Structure formats: C-alpha cells, structure tokens
Amino acid sequence: MRKLFADTMVIAERNLIRLPRSPDLLIAFTVQPIMFVLLFAYVFGGAISTPGYSYIDFLIPGIIVQNIAFGGFVTAVGLNEDLSKGLIDRFRSLPMARPAVLAGRTSADIVTNLLSALVLLVTGLIIGFRFDAGPLDILAGMALLLFFGYAFSWVFALFGLVVSSPEAASSVGFIVVFPLTFISSAFVPVESMPDGLRWFAEINPFTFMVDAMRALWLGAPAGNSIWGAFVWTVAILAVFAPVSVSRYRRAAVN
Amino acid sequence: MTRAGQIRDAAETGGAEPEVPRDGPAITAGGLVKCFGDVRAIDGVDLEVETGTILGLLGPNGAGKTTVVRVLTTLLKPDSGAATVAGFDVLSEGAALREQIGLAGQYAAVDENLTGLENLTMVGRLYGMTRSRAKMRAWELLARFDLADAAKRPARTYSGGMRRRLDLTAALVADPPMLFLDEPTTGLDPRSRIALWETIESLVADGTTVLLTTQYLDEADRLADRIAVIDHGKVIADGTPDELKDRVGGEKLEVRLSEPGDADRAIELLVSMTDEQPVFEDGSVKLTVRRRKGAIVEAVQRLNQAGIGIDDLGLRRPTLDDVFLALTGHAAEVEDAGQVEV
Ligand SMILES: Nc1ncnc2c1ncn2[C@@H]1O[C@H](COP(=O)(O)OP(=O)(O)OP(=O)(O)O)[C@@H](O)[C@H]1O
Ligand SMILES: [Mg+2]
C-alpha cells in the first residue's frame, strides 16, 4: 500500500513536470475554457431563458462540470502514447505497484483540472458570475467537482487503454461524453426538453452534478442532487477504476 | 551503487522485504509456447542460463527472440510451458521476479517529455530508491554513457543513438542481478557499441547474468558464453561459440592467386587436401581443409612446385556467419542502419 502511494506520486510527478514544457497542453487547459464561457455566454445567452437566474449564473456551474469531465482526455491520450511508445512495457517490467501508472495519471489530472476550473471561474467572475453561498459551500462544491473529474479520468483511462491511437482515444472520449453533457441541465433547463430527452436528462449524472453545483454555489434548492451526484461519482469510480486496472495488467504493445 | 545499498533502499520505502535471487540457474525455461492468432511466435523453447554468464539469443527477423524476452520479463503470459528467472516463476511470482531484472526492450522506451536525468531518476524511484539516491545513480550512469552533457535536455531532443543509450542505462539503474537486453547495440555508433560491450563485460565479471538478443554475429561471438540459435520459434542449436563453429565444419583455407587464370590448375593441386570440391571466388581458391596442421606449408609447396603465384593465403575458423547460414539456411539479416527504429 505504501509502495502504491509512493509509486503513484512518482508517476503523477512525471506527468506534471511536462506541463510547463508543453504550451499546447497549457492552451487546452486554459484558453479553451475561456473561449467556451465567452461563446456560450454571448451567443446563447440571449436566446435561452433561465427563470430565476441570469444566464451567466446558470451557465458557469454547467460549463465548469462539462470542462472537468473532459479533463481526463490528458489521461486517455497520454496512456495511449505510453502504450505505443513502449513505456508501459518498461513500467510493467519494474517492481512497481501496477495500478500506480493509472493512479498517477489520474491524480495528475486533479491538478490540471483544478487549474482549468480556476481559470474558468475567474473568467466567469469577470463577466458577471456571482456566488450566492458561504465559503464552506463554495469549497464543498469545488471538492465535489474535483472528485467528479477524477472519476471521469478513470473513464478516460479505459478509453486510452482500449483504442489503437492517441487520436482515437480523444475522439472516442468526445463522442461518448459530449452528448452526455448536452442532454443534461448544464446549458438549458431540463424542463424545456422533449419527453424522451427529458427522461434521460433527469437520470444523467451530469444533471445531478450540475444541479448540485447550482445548489452549493447559487443556493438553488438541492433536492437529492448533491447525494445523487456523489453516488453517481462513486459508482463511476467503482466500475471504471477496477476495469481499467485489469485492462492495464493485460495490456500488451502490439 | 552496491546491490546491498539498493536493497536497503527498497526496505526503507517499501513495506515488504526485498527478495534476493535464489540459488540455481539464473534462467530456466521449458516448452515455452506463445501464439498470436495463427502465428506460433515461440514454439517450445527450452533454455538454461547459468548465473554470471551471458546467453546470446541469435536468430533471423521474426524468429521469436523478442517474444522470449517478453515472456521471461513477465510482459507476456506464455500459452504453455514454464520458466523461472533468478529462481522466481514467471507466472506466479512476477512481483518478486521484477525486483531481480532490468530490461532494455528492442525499441527505446523513454519519456520524451522528461530530461535524461528525470527519466533515470523516475526509474530509480520506481525500483524503490530514495529521490536523492536515484539522482546520484542517474548522474553516475549518464556520465558513464556519455550523456552527462545532455542530462538536462528533454529526451525528445536526443538523437536515436542517445535515446537508445538512455534506455539501456534505465535497465542498469538498480544494478539488477539479471539483465535482458533486446538488440542493445542496434543503432549505436562503433564507439558506443564498444563502450556498451565493456560495460556488459564488467557487470558480468561482478556476477550479473545477461540475456541478450542480437543480429550482430561478432557481438555474440565476443560477448556470449553460450549462444542459442532460434528460428521459427524453436531453438535449433545451442552451445558455446566454438562448439557451434565446430559443428559447421573445419577450418577454411583461402589462397589468393596472383593470376586468376591459374584457378583450375590450383584447384586440381589442392583438391586432395579436402573432402569437398574447392571453389574459386573473388580471386581466391577456398576449401575446407581436412587437417589444420601443416595445411599452409602443404598448400604453398604444391602451388610453388607448379609455379603458381600466391598473393596472400590464410587459414580461418568458421565465423558465426557460417554457422548462421548453415543452420537457418539464410544469412543474418541486419537491418539497414538508416532505418533503425528507436
Ligand atoms: N503482438 C503481436 N501480435 C501478433 N504477432 C506478433 C506479436 N508479437 C510478435 N508477433 C509475431 O511473432 C513472431 C516472432 O516475433 P518476435 O518479435 O519475437 O521476433 P524477433 O525474433 O524478435 O524478430 P526481430 O529480429 O525482427 O526483432 C513474428 O512472426 C511476429 O510477427
Ligand atoms: Mg525482436
């Protein structure tokens, strides 16, 4: 167990020291969320009615959840590159704790996700987003957000291990996760959707998560959203972490 | 760094006691089979390697060398058969086995976004060293492999040969008792090749066991205590380099004639010294002599008496090239140096 923790930290460090050297990755983490916030706020802002909130207040929790769910693409692409370059073989031949390669990657994502979320939040604050909650609730929201992002990093880890190229890893992630984020309460009120979509949106983990963020940051009625989001996150982790690890144990470079 | 030091280190960071190699052969393998779909990559491989020796695994492209290495280093599960490394079973004792080995695979596996120093430090820490010890060890190896100047540059900026060297040093970081090197010198310049040979020799002198695959017969000849020739997934011959050479036959006499026109007469004069028909190639008459002793004097006398001029003449033992050719039916295929993948 101690070895697992130590090795996880070594791998996490490995994945983080490259960041300042990769301008393209830094842009993905920072410029992209800024761009999304501005586009949504100013292009859709006037067209979507969000009773009780200004669109910018409504939007920020939604877009920050979407953004954090995609943070795991670094894991998918990185793992796939490691596989194709033979690094996974090197790791698998070392006396290290085997889950550490995945755990290190996903832990590094927590740091990049936090960075990205802060950039997004500051952008939101500049264009008019306001919290309506105490500091504890705000922090609890941030913690829940990072936990949710961490669970999705494990989903992406699996994508990275099963597909044949880094490009495929990120596009599979996109194809699977993108619709989920849109058929949720992230960008439009669920009530405005047709019946079928609405049914799906109401059980979608993204809806629970976004509603939980609105409850914690804007003081919206929580209902069962916070618990729902937490249970969903634990469930996603409980499924994808073991599946990814067992897939990793068997992974062989072709 | 000493092995004891490494073990102490591992004990500091990890919970479990580090394992030490068990007595007995460094490698045993019996009836290893591994298929990929229809391809029988290895098809019943038996091996035994004594501790402190070098086994050269020789074979043409696709023979199954890399597959053997991957099975022995626990990267692949064999379909059937059994093997141990340093006394640990590849199937049931993988974790303890991996504490005993260092692997440099056929293609350099380095993190291109990290510097050479960071790469080696990471590997050292994953072997259980403390950060400072791993760093010290990294510097030591970088200096030995002529990479100290590039230590703080991302490996992305390294040349192919530099990456290869960095990858090899990663296998040496923990000074493991058992080294697996898959075509270690492919892509290295002559100087680096010799430096690596010397490193391997000094490690073996200290008791390390090495399994190396190679396409270069001179490399196998110089380094290997024993050679296993593998083709189509089977070991088709094994023994010391000398035993293998003896198996393909006696010594070759080569006589370069001053006048190529004398070839037929020379062959006629020398034919009784051999059991086979002498050939005339590249201006020389070549034959496998029945007896080494006196062969040169005999040949000179016969040709002199007939007034045939000799430019040069020599007796040479068969090379591993001859062995390779005789056993596999084709010459060793050396990859084009320009296309070496790393
Ligand atoms: N992952 C794999 N999937 C399918 N076939 C494979 C795989 N790995 C190896 N093979 C096949 O197994 C056979 C042996 O391959 P191997 O890599 O062990 O040969 P090798 O002796 O190392 O060759 P080389 O000298 O070219 O490195 C080849 O026919 C190869 O195509
Ligand atoms: Mg090979």
Side-chain angles (χ1 to χ4, degrees):
Chain A
M1 210 53 201
R2 247 175 90 194
K3 180 81 175 136
L4 173 59
F5 181 75
D7 290 349
T8 299
M9 288 300 113
V10 173
I11 299 292
E13 184 183 322
R14 165 207 170 212
N15 292 320
L16 290 174
I17 39 187
R18 66 170 296 194
L19 265 191
R21 295 174 202 156
S22 319
D24 45 336
L25 267 183
L26 276 182
I27 286 173
F29 287 128
T30 54
V31 178
Q32 196 173 302
I34 295 176
M35 193 188 76
F36 263 61
V37 171
L38 297 181
L39 282 176
F40 267 95
Y42 293 117
V43 177
F44 294 141
I48 300 172
S49 86
T50 50
Y53 303 98
S54 73
Y55 189 67
I56 189 70
D57 281 347
F58 182 85
L59 173 69
I60 291 299
I63 205 162
I64 209 166
V65 169
Q66 182 192 48
N67 188 58
I68 210 128
F70 277 109
F73 87 92
V74 192
T75 283
V77 173
L79 267 180
N80 199 271
E81 272 174 14
D82 288 352
L83 267 180
S84 57
K85 293 196 172 144
L87 264 163
I88 296 291
D89 267 6
R90 157 126 281 142
F91 290 137
R92 288 172 72 242
S93 77
L94 292 175
M96 62 185 289
R98 286 208 159 169
V101 171
L102 302 184
R105 276 254 170 227
T106 49
S107 306
D109 283 355
I110 298 178
V111 177
T112 49
N113 279 343
L114 178 62
L115 176 73
S116 188
L118 288 177
V119 168
L120 201 153
L121 197 54
V122 168
T123 312
L125 289 169
I126 291 170
I127 62 169
F129 174 75
R130 291 295 171 263
F131 288 111
D132 186 0
L136 276 185
D137 283 345
I138 294 175
L139 283 181
M142 202 64 185
L144 185 61
L145 184 70
L146 291 175
F147 185 41
F148 187 73
Y150 182 67
F152 268 85
S153 286
W154 284 95
V155 175
F156 275 94
L158 185 63
F159 294 155
L161 290 171
V162 295
V163 301
S164 57
S165 72
E167 296 74 34
S170 59
S171 65
V172 167
F174 199 73
I175 290 165
V176 174
V177 180
F178 210 62
L180 279 177
T181 65
F182 271 87
I183 310 172
S184 78
S185 61
F187 303 107
V188 296
V190 171
E191 295 74 36
S192 67
M193 293 181 188
D195 279 352
L197 281 185
R198 180 172 169 175
W199 172 83
F200 181 83
E202 279 170 355
I203 56 161
N204 185 343
F206 279 89
T207 298
F208 282 97
M209 190 58 213
V210 171
D211 288 352
M213 294 304 292
R214 288 190 184 125
L216 288 166
W217 283 5
L218 300 173
N224 59 2
S225 65
I226 297 178
W227 281 113
F230 188 75
V231 168
W232 257 119
T233 306
V234 171
I236 291 169
L237 253 184
V239 170
F240 282 90
V243 171
S244 302
V245 169
S246 95
R247 179 74 204 189
Y248 171 79
R249 285 181 201 273
R250 286 183 291 121
V253 184
N254 292 310
Chain B
M1 187 184 79
T2 63
R3 212 158 275 158
Q6 174 216 333
I7 288 165
R8 219 178 307 117
D9 231 11
E12 279 162 18
T13 50
E17 277 297 300
E19 303 280 356
V20 292
R22 294 178 183 152
D23 291 339
I27 298 177
T28 63
L32 288 181
V33 174
K34 178 73 200 179
C35 301
F36 296 103
D38 294 341
V39 182
R40 292 180 85 81
I42 52 176
D43 192 7
V45 167
D46 304 313
L47 288 176
E48 184 159 322
V49 184
E50 286 309 314
T51 302
T53 66
I54 304 182
L55 175 76
L57 212 51
L58 212 60
N61 289 143
K65 304 180 294 294
T66 297
T67 307
V68 170
V69 170
R70 290 171 56 83
V71 166
L72 293 176
T73 51
T74 75
L75 298 182
L76 274 182
K77 220 178 180 163
D79 296 335
S80 62
T84 64
V85 173
F88 297 97
D89 191 273
V90 290
L91 288 174
S92 60
E93 297 174 299
L97 187 156
R98 289 189 285 274
E99 288 180 22
Q100 313 300 322
I101 63 171
L103 165 68
Q106 184 164 3
Y107 305 112
V110 299
D111 187 335
E112 309 204 325
N113 296 303
L114 301 193
T115 66
L117 180 64
E118 287 163 350
N119 264 290
L120 293 187
T121 310
M122 171 181 76
V123 172
R125 291 175 69 197
L126 293 174
Y127 269 108
M129 296 180 193
T130 59
R131 184 194 294 266
S132 58
R133 172 161 264 146
K135 223 172 189 166
M136 248 170 55
R137 178 66 177 153
W139 274 118
E140 199 181 305
L141 287 166
L142 288 165
R144 171 141 35 115
F145 283 83
D146 226 354
L147 289 168
D149 291 341
K152 298 205 162 172
R153 268 183 13 214
R156 190 173 348 107
T157 67
Y158 285 19
S159 73
M162 288 164 78
R163 267 176 230 214
R164 188 77 196 129
R165 284 187 333 243
L166 183 62
D167 187 54
L168 287 161
T169 50
L172 303 177
V173 162
D175 198 12
M178 178 74 231
L179 270 182
F180 291 89
L181 308 174
D182 197 353
E183 302 198 18
T185 59
T186 302
L188 294 191
D189 61 27
R191 190 164 136 250
S192 310
R193 262 180 102 192
I194 292 173
L196 179 66
W197 288 353
E198 285 168 353
T199 304
I200 293 175
E201 281 164 345
S202 83
L203 287 171
V204 171
D206 289 343
T208 303
T209 311
V210 179
L211 184 151
L212 70 86
T213 77
T214 182
Q215 304 271 357
Y216 299 111
L217 303 163
D218 56 334
E219 182 165 293
D221 208 0
R222 160 151 180 188
L223 289 177
D225 296 296
R226 295 184 72 83
I227 290 174
V229 182
I230 177 166
D231 197 16
H232 297 299
K234 292 193 166 75
V235 176
I236 53 174
D238 80 303
T240 65
D242 282 338
E243 282 167 7
L244 291 181
K245 290 175 198 166
D246 284 347
R247 199 179 295 187
V248 277
E251 318 245 338
K252 272 219 163 76
L253 181 70
E254 291 187 12
V255 186
R256 173 171 283 277
L257 303 176
S258 312
E259 289 294 332
D262 291 334
D264 289 342
R265 279 172 61 219
I267 287 177
E268 210 170 291
L269 288 164
L270 298 176
V271 72
S272 64
M273 293 175 66
T274 172
D275 294 328
E276 296 156 23
Q277 182 60 28
V279 293
F280 183 70
E281 260 174 23
D282 311 326
S284 299
V285 175
K286 300 181 180 175
L287 54 140
T288 309
V289 294
R290 216 173 288 128
R291 278 186 317 135
R292 176 189 171 86
K293 214 162 166 256
I296 291 188
V297 177
E298 173 93 36
V300 171
Q301 276 175 356
R302 290 189 189 186
L303 295 176
N304 243 348
Q305 278 166 13
I308 296 176
I310 304 171
D311 266 2
D312 190 14
L313 154 156
L315 201 54
R316 72 173 178 88
R317 275 183 66 61
T319 62
L320 281 177
D321 284 287
D322 301 322
V323 175
F324 204 87
L325 200 58
L327 289 171
T328 65
H330 45 98
E333 298 153 56
V334 176
E335 279 167 84
D336 184 29
Q339 301 183 350
V340 171
E341 287 176 66
V342 286

